[in-house]
């Protein structure tokens, strides 16, 4: 019952809807029993919530910082940089991006117009690492990332 709901009104609405509810470990449960179990589950959830809040308050009063360390303000910039670096490494390893970079090296010798380069990449069937169309901004990013002049 706890997996289904810890809310008496939800359980009552479910029972009123006409849906047949059968528990493998309690096949003879009827409406009365299910309502009582739902009420006890709801009460238990409230107790758990109160105990958790009280325990967290004690930890705060003891000076502990709550939350994931990587989400705390002093570590946020480092976490963002790590994420950015990981995403860039994935993009650099993407075979589609490698092909596009090779094509950009050729195109950069012919033109410095990034919109034109994006148009040509799209016309030739290249897609971004996420499968989309190239824009001038994405071309600019790839040119800078791979130091193409």
């Amino acid at each position: 019952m706890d997996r289904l709901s810890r809310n008496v009104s939800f359980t009552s609405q479910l029972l009123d809807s006409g849906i047949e509810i059968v528990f493998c470990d309690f096949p003879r449960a009827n409406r009365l029993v299910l309502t009582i179990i739902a009420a006890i589950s709801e009460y238990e959830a409230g107790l758990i919530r109160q105990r958790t809040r009280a325990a967290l308050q004690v930890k705060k009063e003891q000076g502990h910082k709550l939350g994931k360390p990587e989400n705390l303000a002093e570590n946020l910039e480092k976490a963002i940089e790590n994420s950015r670096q990981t995403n860039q490494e994935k993009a650099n390893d993407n075979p589609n991006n490698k092909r596009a970079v090779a094509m950009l090296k050729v195109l950069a010798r012919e033109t410095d117009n990034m919109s034109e380069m994006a148009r040509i990449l799209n016309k030739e069937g290249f897609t971004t690492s996420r499968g989309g169309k190239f824009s001038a901004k994405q071309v600019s990013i790839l040119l800078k990332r791979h130091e193409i002049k």
Side-chain angles (χ1 to χ4, degrees):
M1 188 69 183
D2 286 346
R3 301 263 185 218
L4 178 61
S5 171
R6 288 184 170 200
N7 182 305
V8 176
S9 99
F10 175 78
T11 304
S12 294
Q13 287 176 355
L14 199 57
L15 292 169
D16 288 343
S17 72
I19 295 173
E20 183 180 358
I21 300 173
V22 179
F23 293 92
C24 296
D25 58 344
F26 194 12
R28 293 186 180 200
N30 60 27
R31 183 181 180 90
L32 172 66
V33 172
L34 292 176
T35 304
I36 291 170
I37 292 172
I40 293 169
S41 294
E42 184 177 87
Y43 176 72
E44 181 184 29
L47 291 177
I48 291 169
R49 196 169 22 259
Q50 287 174 353
R51 286 192 304 261
T52 302
R53 284 187 182 140
L56 290 173
Q57 187 60 40
V58 168
K59 285 289 191 186
K60 278 184 182 180
E61 289 168 2
Q62 292 173 346
H64 292 275
K65 289 186 179 182
L66 302 178
K68 291 174 141 183
E70 61 267 20
N71 292 339
L72 297 175
E74 63 256 13
N75 297 328
L76 189 57
E77 285 185 29
K78 183 178 176 184
I80 290 170
E81 182 55 35
N82 287 343
S83 176
R84 187 177 295 128
Q85 206 168 14
T86 301
N87 288 339
Q88 187 173 342
E89 287 168 7
K90 285 181 186 175
N92 288 343
D93 290 340
N94 183 306
N96 190 48
N97 272 4
K98 288 181 179 180
R99 289 180 42 242
V101 168
M103 181 71 161
L104 281 174
K105 287 178 181 178
V106 173
L107 292 174
R109 288 187 217 126
E110 298 172 9
T111 181
D112 60 354
N113 184 325
M114 291 179 214
S115 294
E116 180 64 14
M117 289 183 207
R119 189 190 66 72
I120 293 169
L121 286 173
N122 293 328
K123 180 181 167 197
E124 295 296 322
F126 289 93
T127 58
T128 64
S129 58
R130 294 184 179 174
K133 299 265 186 208
F134 275 97
S135 68
K137 179 65 177 172
Q138 290 161 319
V139 167
S140 170
I141 290 168
L142 283 176
L143 291 173
K144 286 179 187 170
R145 184 181 296 158
H146 296 279
E147 299 176 3
I148 300 171
K149 298 177 183 183

